[in-house]
């Protein structure tokens, strides 16, 4: 999978709404360093611009919202994040640790797996196409959802159901997302963006400072951080360091690449 000459992330402004599109359909909109910088920069610009009241995040094409990390690019020596430390602090995809006061609507146009699901978990509202699917399959390959997924899914889905999906790695479809209360709307793919824009316009019609204050209070946001997330990220870092040193963490990706069932050793 190779990038085209087009930007990895596109931004489109429509009145008070900024749409951010991951523009790598040939790579299932997987995240690389260019996507990270593109999303993170667009979010910063939206936060700083008083005329932007709502942000929509979506993916190009009709198959994938985001397939997570670009493992193909990574295997070829590419990077998932830039060298810039400040930009790295935005978290996976420039978004996973980068909350903004402006409401963010995820317009999920296909599957959102792994890191793609973690980006959806960062959105305040979800409009999903009927073909959308969500999932955190990391446990199937010896990893875990370390870009916020492991702690956010149990807050946004009914806890026992969230734990089932987190521990089995099994996905759930758009209809199930609606039933769980994870998706606000499920519509045919052709109606996805019109529906997301209509919802954004309804929000944008309200007093912007009131909307932003409401979001900050709801999420306990202050100075661009969500209260309590620091402890979760510290847990993430500790567990990831230990896990990545294990034999199983090497076996999972190897078995996946070799198209065989992994042999776990719990060490």
């Amino acid at each position: 999978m190779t990038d085209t000459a087009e930007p990895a992330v596109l931004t489109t402004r429509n009145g008070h709404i900024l749409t951010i599109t991951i523009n790598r359909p040939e790579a299932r909109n997987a995240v690389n360093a260019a996507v990270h910088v593109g999303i993170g920069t667009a979010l910063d610009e939206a936060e700083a611009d008083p005329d932007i009241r709502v942000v929509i995040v979506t993916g190009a094409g009709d198959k994938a919202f985001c397939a997570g990390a670009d493992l193909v690019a990574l295997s070829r020596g590419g990077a998932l994040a830039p060298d810039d430390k400040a930009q790295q602090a935005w978290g996976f995809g420039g978004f996973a640790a980068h909350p903004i006061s402006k409401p963010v609507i995820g317009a999920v146009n296909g599957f959102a797996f792994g890191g793609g699901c973690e980006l959806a978990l960062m959105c305040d509202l979800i409009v999903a196409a009927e073909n959308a699917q969500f999932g955190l399959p990391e446990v199937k390959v010896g990893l875990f959802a370390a870009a916020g997924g492991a702690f956010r899914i149990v807050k946004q889905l009914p806890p026992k159901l969230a734990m089932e999906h987190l521990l089995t790695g099994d996905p759930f479809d758009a209809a199930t997302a609606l039933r769980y209360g994870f998706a606000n709307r499920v519509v045919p793919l052709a109606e996805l963006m019109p529906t997301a824009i209509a919802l954004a316009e309804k929000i944008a019609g309200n007093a912007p400072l009131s909307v932003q204050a409401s979001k900050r209070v709801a999420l306990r946001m202050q100075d661009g951080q969500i209260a309590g997330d620091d402890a979760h990220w510290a847990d993430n870092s500790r567990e990831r360091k230990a896990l990545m040193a294990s034999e199983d963490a090497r076996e999972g990706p190897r078995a996946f690449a070799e198209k065989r069932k992994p042999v776990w050793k719990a060490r």
Side-chain angles (χ1 to χ4, degrees), residues 16-20 43 46-47 49-50 52-57 95 98-106 122-126 196 199-216 219 221:
H16 296 299
I17 301 164
L18 180 71
T19 299
I20 302 172
L43 291 172
E47 185 75 329
D49 188 341
I52 297 298
R53 299 181 183 178
V54 185
V55 174
I56 297 173
V57 177
F95 190 18
H98 192 186
I100 63 171
S101 298
K102 311 295 175 74
V104 179
I105 299 172
M122 269 299 287
C123 296
D124 301 303
L125 300 95
I126 294 285
L199 183 57
E201 288 176 339
K202 188 170 186 178
I203 295 169
N206 293 328
L209 298 183
S210 299
V211 168
Q212 293 159 37
S214 296
K215 175 176 173 175
R216 286 193 296 268
L219 298 185
M221 281 180 59

Side-chain angles (χ1 to χ4, degrees), residues 61-136:
D62 58 3
K63 297 293 190 297
F65 172 71
C66 175
D70 190 341
L71 300 181
V72 173
L74 199 61
S75 72
R76 295 171 178 168
L80 300 182
D83 294 331
D84 184 277
K85 297 296 184 183
Q87 293 179 336
Q88 288 178 10
W90 293 335
F92 177 78
F95 190 18
H98 192 186
I100 63 171
S101 298
K102 311 295 175 74
V104 179
I105 299 172
V108 181
N109 56 304
F111 61 79
F113 290 156
C117 186
E118 290 173 302
L119 298 187
L121 286 161
M122 269 299 287
C123 296
D124 301 303
L125 300 95
I126 294 285
V127 178
E130 292 172 336
N131 66 319
Q133 292 190 64
F134 304 86
L136 297 171

Side-chain angles (χ1 to χ4, degrees), residues 1-11 20-39 57-81 92-93 109 111 116 119:
M1 288 180 268
T2 57
D3 287 326
T4 67
E6 293 186 17
V9 173
L10 302 174
T11 57
I20 302 172
T21 303
I22 306 172
N23 187 41
R24 302 187 69 220
E26 76 290 343
R28 298 172 297 170
N29 296 321
V31 169
N32 60 8
V35 170
H36 181 118
V37 172
I39 294 177
V57 177
T58 192
D62 58 3
K63 297 293 190 297
F65 172 71
C66 175
D70 190 341
L71 300 181
V72 173
L74 199 61
S75 72
R76 295 171 178 168
L80 300 182
F92 177 78
N109 56 304
F111 61 79
L119 298 187

